Every structure is written in C-alpha cells, then in structure tokens.
Amino acid sequence: MSAAMFRLESFAAPPAPEPVFTRADLDAARAAGHAEGLAQAQDEQAAAATRALTALAGSLSDDDARRGALRDEAVEALSPILRQILRAMAPPAISARIEDALRHELRRLAADTRPQVARIACGPRLRAMLDRCLADTGLTGIELQDRPDNRLVIDLQGGRIEYDPERVMADLLTILDDIQKDDTTWTR
C-alpha cells in the first residue's frame, strides 16, 4: 500500500494585511480623542451644574414657602392680641371692622417681602457655562456676577460659600509635601 498524498485547499479569504498608520494618522486620532474627551467633560460639568442650580433654586423656593407660612402664622398669632386691644379701645361694632382692616394690612405687609436670591460670582469660563445652564432650565432666583479670578463665590441671604482653586491646590501640595517628608523619615 502506498501512502497517498492529499492536498487540501482552503477557500477562506487570505488574511487582511495589518493596517499601517502614519504619524499624522496617530496625531489626528489623538487630537480627535482629546477633543471628544474635552467635549464629554464639558457636557458632564454642565449637567452637574444644572443639577446643582436646580437643587439651589428648589431650596430657595422651598425656603420662600416656609417663610410665607411663618409670616401667615405670625399674623394669625397676632390676631387675638389685636382683638383684645381693639375691644378694650372701641365699641364691638367698630372694633370688628378695625380688626379685619388691620389683619388685612398685616397679611399684605407679610406678603410684601423679597424672595430669596442666590448670587454666584465666578470667572468668565464658568460664567459662560452657568449662563447656558440657567438659560436652558429657565431657573429664577439666581443671579450671576463676574469675577476677574477663578474663585467661585456663592452668596445667599445669611450665608456665603467661597471656593478658590489656587488655594485648594496650594493646600494639597503642602499636604503632599508633608507626606513625602514623613515618608522619607519612616523606617520599617
């Protein structure tokens, strides 16, 4: 018996040649990826800013409602005192009309208050993003102001928040420097 030789043929497509990229292709891909990453980061920052501004506007609105309820309670708490004072000073028919007029005037005065406003002062880059967020959402009660530096300052009636990125960076570098100093003197 003789050994027969079989030849098997492959009908598969030949392997594709490995792609070759030039330096310009790699630089263009890197630039496109960098631009896409920056755009995605800006979109995420804008979304986070919109959520924060919406929460702030909601808090301001809730606070105004609470303040209104407190004012109404104060007017109602004053009503018995007014009634007693007026009854002591005037006949019942007149004192009832005066009491109604005074309560009406107290309610009008209590309602005539300024709503809470948040003032945000920031640099031009952040200002542009916040302007877009406020315009897109239509939120009210938040005023934007310009600052020449990168500090972010939020003023509310009765409170203030200030964020200085340069100071935060300096503090972090100081902490890292302290850690490195401690690490070099530490022995096992």
Side-chain angles (χ1 to χ4, degrees), residues 63-86:
D63 189 55
D64 283 339
R66 279 189 302 276
R67 289 173 45 193
L70 287 172
R71 288 188 301 269
D72 291 344
E73 286 177 24
V75 169
E76 290 306 314
L78 287 174
S79 291
I81 298 168
L82 285 174
R83 185 175 306 119
Q84 293 304 317
I85 292 172
L86 292 172

Side-chain angles (χ1 to χ4, degrees), residues 56-112:
L56 177 60
S59 294
L60 292 173
S61 177
D62 292 346
D63 189 55
D64 283 339
R66 279 189 302 276
R67 289 173 45 193
L70 287 172
R71 288 188 301 269
D72 291 344
E73 286 177 24
V75 169
E76 290 306 314
L78 287 174
S79 291
I81 298 168
L82 285 174
R83 185 175 306 119
Q84 293 304 317
I85 292 172
L86 292 172
R87 284 185 183 167
M89 294 177 63
I94 297 173
S95 67
R97 287 196 318 256
I98 295 173
E99 180 185 349
D100 287 341
L102 284 173
R103 273 205 331 223
H104 176 72
E105 185 62 17
L106 283 174
R107 283 192 186 107
R108 188 191 66 75
L109 290 172
D112 189 26

Side-chain angles (χ1 to χ4, degrees), residues 23-36:
R23 184 68 187 168
D25 293 337
L26 295 175
D27 289 342
R30 181 185 179 283
H34 183 71
E36 182 180 330

Side-chain angles (χ1 to χ4, degrees), residues 21 29 46 73 103 106 117-118 129 138 144 156 159 172 174 176 188:
F21 298 102
E73 286 177 24
R103 273 205 331 223
L106 283 174
V117 175
M129 181 182 65
L144 297 179
L156 297 169
L172 286 174
T174 301
L176 289 173
R188 293 184 182 191

Side-chain angles (χ1 to χ4, degrees), residues 72-180:
D72 291 344
E73 286 177 24
V75 169
E76 290 306 314
L78 287 174
S79 291
I81 298 168
L82 285 174
R83 185 175 306 119
Q84 293 304 317
I85 292 172
L86 292 172
R87 284 185 183 167
M89 294 177 63
I94 297 173
S95 67
R97 287 196 318 256
I98 295 173
E99 180 185 349
D100 287 341
L102 284 173
R103 273 205 331 223
H104 176 72
E105 185 62 17
L106 283 174
R107 283 192 186 107
R108 188 191 66 75
L109 290 172
D112 189 26
T113 60
R114 291 186 201 168
Q116 288 256 355
V117 175
R119 288 178 184 82
I120 301 174
C122 56
R125 191 174 131 261
L126 186 56
R127 170 72 188 257
M129 181 182 65
L130 292 177
D131 278 334
R132 271 194 325 272
C133 292
L134 288 175
D136 291 347
T137 59
L139 296 173
T140 59
I142 301 172
E143 294 177 1
L144 297 179
Q145 300 171 341
D146 293 323
R147 282 191 65 91
D149 54 14
N150 287 330
R151 285 187 180 166
L152 173 67
V153 179
I154 302 173
D155 282 320
L156 297 169
Q157 292 171 341
R160 178 183 178 119
I161 301 169
E162 186 168 338
Y163 174 74
D164 183 359
E166 285 86 16
R167 182 174 169 203
V168 171
M169 185 58 72
D171 290 346
L172 286 174
L173 291 174
T174 301
I175 292 170
L176 289 173
D177 189 43
D178 288 345
I179 291 171
Q180 287 176 348

